[in-house]
Amino acid sequence: MLSDKDIFSLVYDKQSQYYSILTGMVPQLIQDNQKVSHLYLEDLNDEFFSNIEEMIESDNDFLLILLLYYMDRGIEDCYKQQIGFEDDVEVMDALNANREETQISVLKKVKCKWAHREYGRRIKGIMDNFYYIDHMEMDHMNVRHYILDPGLLFFDRKSELKLAISPVTQKETVEFSNPYERPNEKTGAMQKLFRVESVIDENWIQEQIIENICIAGKNGADILVFPEMLGTQNMLLEVRKRLRQNETADIPGLIVFPSIWEKTENDMANANKSCLLLNGDEVLFEQHKRCDYKYDTPEGPVYEDINRDRKKNNVVHMLHVEGLGRICIIICYDYLDTYNRELIMKNLCPTLVCNPSFSTGSFNFEILGESYFKQGCNWIWCNTCSAANLTEKEKNFEIIGMITTLSKDCDQLRADSFKQIFEGKTKCQKSECKNCIYYAEIPLVMQ
């Protein structure tokens, strides 16, 4: 295993034999002074690819590291010539056509204005403009990428990113089933499960969602996150329709809609999914919950009856936005599950995680809030006080959400410079939850 010290010795020794080989085989990539030469489409001819292939077949790690360093920097202009944004969003699995063969996805690295330098990243540390995902390390998880036109939401013109959460209500909103039994799909052993039967007072929740979207937009929110399980498919259609009709309303550019729990015939394909909306209208993607929440009883655990076909929805969706980096949705228990969380955070390296929840506890979420500052990742956690109807533990609802605000402008002597914590029903003392919205801001100043 090469260390950072080893890798950068190759990059900065301009007299090494590896520079001589690289200059001789791909002269269009390196200038006479050994600076990067930017490639254009006409440079990528048969001879160029033949020489690249020969270097790969040589299996010389030192030469390939140097090639990677120069290709990462030299190919960017060529990439920009190819990307045209005929649509608002480009959707892809990878830039490289040999993803299935190599189990490696290569992607353009969008910049994040609150990211900081990470040490000890080895091979990934020498790549400035692109990055890769090694699918061999991801336990068969699939990844779908959405590259947003950087001019669409005007993030590049903003000096700060305004984030918002809306816990919506403390009323009882979700009707759950009693536990029932079914054989485990893998072991055949009987297991207790539960499902969501319905959302209570759906029309009232729908009106609150519409109002809160418009209020958050009027107050300048760029991203608004709602909780888990307060949504329905009909509600999603109606909210989108009403927002389209309200042409004068300011709408947050990105909205994490309340997750929708879908009950299906014989529970064959139940799902819990969170939709990401662009400008309150287009559904960019539906992120399915990947882990089955459980609660404990004296007779054993009772599991959320989703993902009966464990391969069907094994996908993580990632939105790439210049200036903000990589944004994903991780629903409630998916973030608490250590194995699942580490798969996503270690391999996909998001810079902003939206974490909608319907949870009777807050402690585990709070202690995880700053866990990925080490890799420049901010976090939006939105719970709902509605979940308090399922527990007598009032202390668990002293807080209802958190937004971390990591940036290079943070005051290191003030804890509240790094995160904002928001009070829940036990502390906020609100008589009603109408238009319950909390805000926080992250400076967007490239250092």
Side-chain angles (χ1 to χ4, degrees), residues 4 37 44-45 66 124 128 227 235 238 290 317 347-348 368:
D4 279 15
S37 182
L44 307 182
N45 52 35
L66 200 59
K124 288 185 178 180
D128 277 350
M235 192 187 299
E238 184 62 23
R290 303 178 65 251
H317 301 271
N347 294 297
L348 304 186
L368 286 171

mmCIF file of all heavy atoms in Angstrom, residues 4 37 44-45 66 124 128 227 235 238 290 317 347-348 368:
data_model
loop_
_atom_site.group_PDB
_atom_site.id
_atom_site.type_symbol
_atom_site.label_atom_id
_atom_site.label_comp_id
_atom_site.label_asym_id
_atom_site.label_seq_id
_atom_site.Cartn_x
_atom_site.Cartn_y
_atom_site.Cartn_z
ATOM 1 N N ASP A 4 0.743 8.548 1.117
ATOM 2 C CA ASP A 4 0.751 9.854 0.459
ATOM 3 C C ASP A 4 2.177 10.279 0.118
ATOM 4 O O ASP A 4 2.433 10.838 -0.956
ATOM 5 C CB ASP A 4 0.126 10.917 1.381
ATOM 6 C CG ASP A 4 -1.393 10.899 1.331
ATOM 7 O OD1 ASP A 4 -1.951 9.903 0.811
ATOM 8 O OD2 ASP A 4 -2.025 11.858 1.798
ATOM 9 N N SER A 37 -0.822 19.698 -19.871
ATOM 10 C CA SER A 37 -1.317 20.231 -21.142
ATOM 11 C C SER A 37 -2.765 19.775 -21.292
ATOM 12 O O SER A 37 -3.064 18.590 -21.162
ATOM 13 C CB SER A 37 -0.475 19.705 -22.301
ATOM 14 O OG SER A 37 -0.928 20.260 -23.508
ATOM 15 N N LEU A 44 -7.465 12.980 -28.828
ATOM 16 C CA LEU A 44 -7.800 11.616 -28.411
ATOM 17 C C LEU A 44 -7.934 10.705 -29.628
ATOM 18 O O LEU A 44 -9.011 10.212 -29.970
ATOM 19 C CB LEU A 44 -9.103 11.630 -27.596
ATOM 20 C CG LEU A 44 -9.134 12.615 -26.414
ATOM 21 C CD1 LEU A 44 -10.433 12.504 -25.656
ATOM 22 C CD2 LEU A 44 -7.941 12.374 -25.478
ATOM 23 N N ASN A 45 -6.819 10.463 -30.279
ATOM 24 C CA ASN A 45 -6.816 9.644 -31.491
ATOM 25 C C ASN A 45 -6.433 8.199 -31.166
ATOM 26 O O ASN A 45 -6.190 7.836 -30.008
ATOM 27 C CB ASN A 45 -5.863 10.242 -32.529
ATOM 28 C CG ASN A 45 -4.479 10.493 -31.964
ATOM 29 O OD1 ASN A 45 -3.990 9.731 -31.129
ATOM 30 N ND2 ASN A 45 -3.824 11.566 -32.412
ATOM 31 N N LEU A 66 1.285 8.344 -11.982
ATOM 32 C CA LEU A 66 1.647 9.595 -12.654
ATOM 33 C C LEU A 66 0.691 9.883 -13.814
ATOM 34 O O LEU A 66 0.282 11.031 -14.022
ATOM 35 C CB LEU A 66 3.087 9.507 -13.160
ATOM 36 C CG LEU A 66 3.790 10.839 -13.460
ATOM 37 C CD1 LEU A 66 3.843 11.719 -12.222
ATOM 38 C CD2 LEU A 66 5.194 10.587 -13.991
ATOM 39 N N LYS A 124 -6.941 8.711 -4.194
ATOM 40 C CA LYS A 124 -7.995 9.703 -4.409
ATOM 41 C C LYS A 124 -7.496 11.109 -4.108
ATOM 42 O O LYS A 124 -8.041 12.084 -4.614
ATOM 43 C CB LYS A 124 -9.214 9.373 -3.552
ATOM 44 C CG LYS A 124 -9.982 8.153 -4.051
ATOM 45 C CD LYS A 124 -11.261 7.923 -3.263
ATOM 46 C CE LYS A 124 -12.036 6.734 -3.820
ATOM 47 N NZ LYS A 124 -13.293 6.481 -3.077
ATOM 48 N N ASP A 128 -8.035 15.970 -8.587
ATOM 49 C CA ASP A 128 -8.664 17.254 -8.318
ATOM 50 C C ASP A 128 -10.013 17.409 -9.011
ATOM 51 O O ASP A 128 -10.930 18.021 -8.471
ATOM 52 C CB ASP A 128 -7.762 18.409 -8.776
ATOM 53 C CG ASP A 128 -6.710 18.757 -7.745
ATOM 54 O OD1 ASP A 128 -6.808 18.242 -6.608
ATOM 55 O OD2 ASP A 128 -5.793 19.529 -8.069
ATOM 56 N N PRO A 227 -40.209 15.640 7.262
ATOM 57 C CA PRO A 227 -39.931 14.377 7.958
ATOM 58 C C PRO A 227 -40.285 13.145 7.126
ATOM 59 O O PRO A 227 -40.734 13.222 5.985
ATOM 60 C CB PRO A 227 -40.833 14.459 9.203
ATOM 61 C CG PRO A 227 -41.351 15.846 9.246
ATOM 62 C CD PRO A 227 -41.326 16.359 7.847
ATOM 63 N N MET A 235 -50.937 13.068 -2.152
ATOM 64 C CA MET A 235 -50.476 14.338 -1.611
ATOM 65 C C MET A 235 -49.362 14.928 -2.477
ATOM 66 O O MET A 235 -49.358 16.132 -2.765
ATOM 67 C CB MET A 235 -49.979 14.126 -0.180
ATOM 68 C CG MET A 235 -49.735 15.394 0.617
ATOM 69 S SD MET A 235 -48.948 15.006 2.212
ATOM 70 C CE MET A 235 -50.204 13.969 2.969
ATOM 71 N N GLU A 238 -50.879 16.376 -5.665
ATOM 72 C CA GLU A 238 -51.656 17.592 -5.423
ATOM 73 C C GLU A 238 -50.756 18.773 -5.061
ATOM 74 O O GLU A 238 -50.974 19.900 -5.517
ATOM 75 C CB GLU A 238 -52.673 17.347 -4.310
ATOM 76 C CG GLU A 238 -53.606 18.514 -4.029
ATOM 77 C CD GLU A 238 -54.498 18.889 -5.209
ATOM 78 O OE1 GLU A 238 -54.737 18.026 -6.086
ATOM 79 O OE2 GLU A 238 -54.953 20.056 -5.259
ATOM 80 N N ARG A 290 -33.531 1.723 2.753
ATOM 81 C CA ARG A 290 -32.823 0.480 2.446
ATOM 82 C C ARG A 290 -32.771 -0.475 3.640
ATOM 83 O O ARG A 290 -32.567 -1.672 3.469
ATOM 84 C CB ARG A 290 -31.407 0.791 1.973
ATOM 85 C CG ARG A 290 -31.366 1.723 0.764
ATOM 86 C CD ARG A 290 -29.951 2.065 0.333
ATOM 87 N NE ARG A 290 -29.258 0.892 -0.144
ATOM 88 C CZ ARG A 290 -28.272 0.294 0.501
ATOM 89 N NH1 ARG A 290 -27.866 0.755 1.675
ATOM 90 N NH2 ARG A 290 -27.680 -0.766 0.001
ATOM 91 N N HIS A 317 -29.259 7.342 -4.637
ATOM 92 C CA HIS A 317 -29.284 8.406 -5.632
ATOM 93 C C HIS A 317 -28.451 9.580 -5.129
ATOM 94 O O HIS A 317 -28.552 9.967 -3.962
ATOM 95 C CB HIS A 317 -30.720 8.852 -5.894
ATOM 96 C CG HIS A 317 -31.611 7.744 -6.383
ATOM 97 N ND1 HIS A 317 -31.757 7.440 -7.714
ATOM 98 C CD2 HIS A 317 -32.381 6.851 -5.704
ATOM 99 C CE1 HIS A 317 -32.585 6.416 -7.841
ATOM 100 N NE2 HIS A 317 -32.980 6.036 -6.641
ATOM 101 N N ASN A 347 -17.814 5.411 0.751
ATOM 102 C CA ASN A 347 -17.616 5.146 -0.672
ATOM 103 C C ASN A 347 -18.154 6.247 -1.588
ATOM 104 O O ASN A 347 -17.592 6.483 -2.658
ATOM 105 C CB ASN A 347 -18.261 3.810 -1.048
ATOM 106 C CG ASN A 347 -17.570 2.642 -0.382
ATOM 107 O OD1 ASN A 347 -16.405 2.375 -0.627
ATOM 108 N ND2 ASN A 347 -18.288 1.943 0.480
ATOM 109 N N LEU A 348 -19.232 6.902 -1.190
ATOM 110 C CA LEU A 348 -19.840 7.918 -2.051
ATOM 111 C C LEU A 348 -19.451 9.339 -1.665
ATOM 112 O O LEU A 348 -19.604 10.261 -2.457
ATOM 113 C CB LEU A 348 -21.365 7.774 -2.037
ATOM 114 C CG LEU A 348 -21.903 6.386 -2.427
ATOM 115 C CD1 LEU A 348 -23.428 6.422 -2.521
ATOM 116 C CD2 LEU A 348 -21.295 5.909 -3.730
ATOM 117 N N LEU A 368 -24.467 11.635 16.156
ATOM 118 C CA LEU A 368 -23.930 11.373 14.816
ATOM 119 C C LEU A 368 -23.828 12.636 13.965
ATOM 120 O O LEU A 368 -23.248 12.610 12.886
ATOM 121 C CB LEU A 368 -24.813 10.358 14.082
ATOM 122 C CG LEU A 368 -24.711 8.907 14.544
ATOM 123 C CD1 LEU A 368 -25.805 8.069 13.886
ATOM 124 C CD2 LEU A 368 -23.342 8.332 14.223
#
